[in-house]
Amino acid sequence: MNHTIPEIQAEIVDEFSMLNDWVEKYEHLIDLGNNLRVIDESERKDENLIKGCQSRVWLHAKQKDSKVHYTADSDALITKGIIALMLRVFDNQPSDEIMKASLDFIDKIGLKEHLSPNRANGLLSMVKQIKFYALALQAKSV
């Protein structure tokens, strides 16, 4: 059964609240990144790089059965974990839900305050690109 974006975000908040400190939380992010479904090699191209990320982050999206499916990768461990976290929330969701989703969970788990300014900007760039793809795919399917 598919979970809604708010349900997935609540699961993530619960998960992070069980971790004792930011060392454990970073380790959890790295684990998430290591379990990220690998982006197809053909999608590791410059046009799929997210602008505004200090590390290289590739993001690809396609629509299937009125849901947006994302794949991604990064050359940095923490960044790969962050994009894995974002895809856990947004992958396999309808475009309109992605576009209107609130991202309260980022503050609730304390992620933004534990990122360097460059990584925090990269996180915002990831979210913008995820939502942009949802909007573009929705427009294409109308």
Side-chain angles (χ1 to χ4, degrees), residues 61-69 92-95 137 141:
K62 65 183 180 200
Q63 193 160 2
K64 184 178 170 203
D65 304 326
S66 75
K67 303 237 170 116
V68 183
H69 299 272
N92 199 25
Q93 297 290 339
S95 299
L137 287 168
S141 69

Side-chain angles (χ1 to χ4, degrees), residues 7-65:
E7 287 169 345
I8 296 166
Q9 290 182 8
E11 285 171 11
I12 292 169
V13 170
D14 288 348
E15 221 169 83
F16 273 78
S17 70
M18 288 187 264
L19 302 170
N20 295 320
D21 56 30
W22 269 92
V23 171
E24 286 185 9
K25 292 178 186 190
Y26 281 130
E27 286 170 357
H28 185 58
L29 274 175
I30 291 168
D31 285 345
L32 291 172
N34 288 335
N35 294 318
L36 184 63
R37 192 179 55 207
V38 181
I39 193 169
D40 192 89
E41 202 54 46
S42 66
E43 299 303 339
R44 278 176 156 263
K45 50 192 173 192
D46 287 350
E47 67 214 47
N48 287 341
L49 281 170
I50 296 177
K51 312 287 181 270
C53 283
Q54 188 178 11
S55 311
R56 289 161 40 107
V57 181
W58 295 269
L59 179 67
H60 178 257
K62 65 183 180 200
Q63 193 160 2
K64 184 178 170 203
D65 304 326

